[in-house]
Amino acid sequence: MRRTRWQTLVLVAVGVAALTWLGWRVVAGRGGLPPQVPWLVAAVEVLIAAVVFSMGWAVRQFLRGRRPALDPIRAARTAVLAKASCYTGALLSGWYGGQTIALVTDLATHGNGGRAVAAGAATAGAVVLAAVGLVVEWFCAVPPPRTTRRSRRRTPPRAEAGGPDRTHDDGRMTDVTTPPAERPTDQPAPHPSDRTADLPSDHPTGPTTDRPTGASLPFEPEGVTWTPVSGRLATARLTALALWLGPVLALLVVLALATGASWLWVPAAVVAALGLWGALLVPRQVRALGYAERADDLLVRRGIMFRQLVVVPYGRMQYVDVSAGPFARRFGIASVQLHTASPATTASIDGLPPAEAARLRDRLASRGEARLAGL
């Protein structure tokens, strides 16, 4: 998930403010007045910002090594909530900011002064919410994996005459023991990478492939082919998300329209933003799920920002079961649960077709019995 750019939020806020200002100008031209913005709106915005900041601070403490453990699901939800706070704050700041501008430019009308102050407070609260969202996104940002940069300068081999070579700053090497007349002039100087490729693979500067070390290598074992789960798992999760958030959003919108309470649009916007970013996040989470069968163990991976790799040896498996509730059967998927002697190594694979789940269950059970018999 990419971090939100503050320039994007500014453009969203300015665009919404311009549209809001034009709309209220049309309403004022027809003799209408904008509704009074409750002071509770600013309080709710600041409260939501405080909750988001506290969740982001916990993630920051974990990433800096000052917190022993953190639930990966909670961390992912914090990142999604921060993204939603950014855009919700931008939308609300434009909405209430446009009202504030329209009211300030028409202070001659009785009551517009108080309305302008309340709308300005709501605008300030929305700006705080967007700013906190940006800060929490920065808290949740995982630093890129470090790369080992192999030095291209090495100690050159000595010439046959016993004298050393000289390595220039640009990588060229000159044999200082060979007279200039005896040096070949029709061939260009070999590039350092060409000379390094001729070294044996066990040499410290031999041919190696620069690849990231640190955070990414433990999750990408060599020679492992990952098997993805079914894409129907994403459809099932999106449907569940819609069933949870849809009624809440509809209820908030109906109440806002029926009562005319403008502050109800704040939680409605938050719910809508959460649903939008959930729809963007769920497919990526499903694509990150996978498993791989090796000779002695089973690998299960998951996670995007907070990645997890579980290694379950076949010899430690006690039993394997397959489960599928009514919702999962409706979408034609099942889950395989692996149980071991240690609860810490218990793993599950969700989103498998029933036939693949049954095959994997039988295969893992047979391999577990074979390893136990060998012990």
Side-chain angles (χ1 to χ4, degrees):
M1 181 183 297
R2 295 182 179 180
R3 291 175 56 184
T4 306
R5 299 178 57 187
W6 65 269
Q7 296 92 334
T8 304
L9 300 182
V10 171
L11 290 177
V12 170
V14 171
V16 174
L19 294 176
T20 304
W21 178 77
L22 290 175
W24 286 122
R25 292 294 295 178
V26 173
V27 173
R30 297 181 178 181
L33 292 175
Q36 176 71 34
V37 178
W39 289 96
L40 186 60
V41 172
V44 171
E45 291 170 341
V46 174
L47 178 61
I48 295 175
V51 172
V52 175
F53 184 84
S54 63
M55 296 176 64
W57 185 255
V59 176
R60 176 178 173 82
Q61 294 296 95
F62 172 75
L63 293 178
R64 300 182 70 178
R66 299 177 180 176
R67 185 184 177 99
L70 182 68
D71 186 8
I73 302 299
R74 178 184 175 184
R77 290 174 178 173
T78 301
V80 174
L81 187 59
K83 179 77 71 174
S85 299
C86 291
Y87 284 97
T88 302
L91 292 172
L92 293 178
S93 61
W95 170 253
Y96 292 116
Q99 295 185 38
T100 304
I101 297 173
L103 292 169
V104 168
T105 55
D106 191 19
L107 291 178
T109 304
H110 177 71
N112 277 1
R115 292 188 179 92
V117 173
T123 304
V127 172
V128 170
L129 180 60
V132 169
L134 290 175
V135 172
V136 172
E137 279 194 346
W138 177 64
F139 285 169
C140 297
V142 178
R146 297 179 180 178
T147 57
T148 55
R149 299 186 62 183
R150 175 170 42 85
S151 175
R152 301 181 70 177
R153 182 179 296 182
R154 63 181 179 85
T155 304
R158 296 182 177 272
E160 295 181 359
D165 290 349
R166 178 179 300 163
T167 305
H168 298 276
D169 293 336
D170 58 357
R172 294 181 295 104
M173 301 181 62
T174 305
D175 186 0
V176 297
T177 62
T178 305
E182 299 179 7
R183 299 174 192 162
T185 58
D186 56 342
Q187 297 181 357
H191 195 273
S193 61
D194 298 335
R195 291 191 298 272
T196 308
D198 297 331
L199 296 176
S201 59
D202 58 349
H203 193 275
T205 57
T208 59
T209 302
D210 293 338
R211 59 184 180 182
T213 61
S216 61
L217 281 181
F219 303 99
E220 296 295 339
E222 296 183 357
V224 173
T225 301
W226 295 100
T227 302
V229 300
S230 174
R232 285 174 287 185
L233 178 61
T235 305
R237 291 185 175 181
L238 290 175
T239 304
L241 181 65
L243 292 177
W244 277 103
L245 297 182
V248 177
L249 180 60
L251 178 62
L252 291 173
V253 171
V254 170
L255 290 177
L257 294 176
T259 61
S262 59
W263 65 270
L264 286 174
W265 293 106
V266 177
V270 173
V271 172
L274 288 175
L276 176 61
W277 287 111
L280 297 176
L281 183 64
V282 166
R284 295 188 59 191
Q285 289 180 333
V286 172
R287 287 195 296 268
L289 293 174
Y291 64 95
E293 300 177 60
R294 296 197 300 188
D296 299 319
D297 48 38
L298 177 73
L299 307 181
V300 181
R301 70 174 184 182
R302 58 171 50 87
I304 302 174
M305 178 178 297
F306 295 88
R307 306 180 66 182
Q308 183 183 19
L309 176 64
V310 179
V311 182
V312 183
Y314 296 133
R316 294 184 60 88
M317 292 184 186
Q318 292 185 333
Y319 62 96
V320 183
D321 61 56
V322 179
S323 61
F327 196 74
R329 293 198 304 269
R330 175 64 181 81
F331 289 91
I333 55 177
S335 299
V336 175
Q337 185 78 24
L338 292 79
H339 300 272
T340 65
S342 174
T345 57
T346 300
S348 63
I349 307 174
D350 302 325
L352 295 177
E356 173 64 14
R359 184 201 68 81
L360 187 62
R361 177 200 58 196
D362 297 339
R363 185 177 181 85
L364 294 178
S366 62
R367 287 190 173 186
E369 292 176 359
R371 293 300 185 278
L372 290 175
L375 294 177

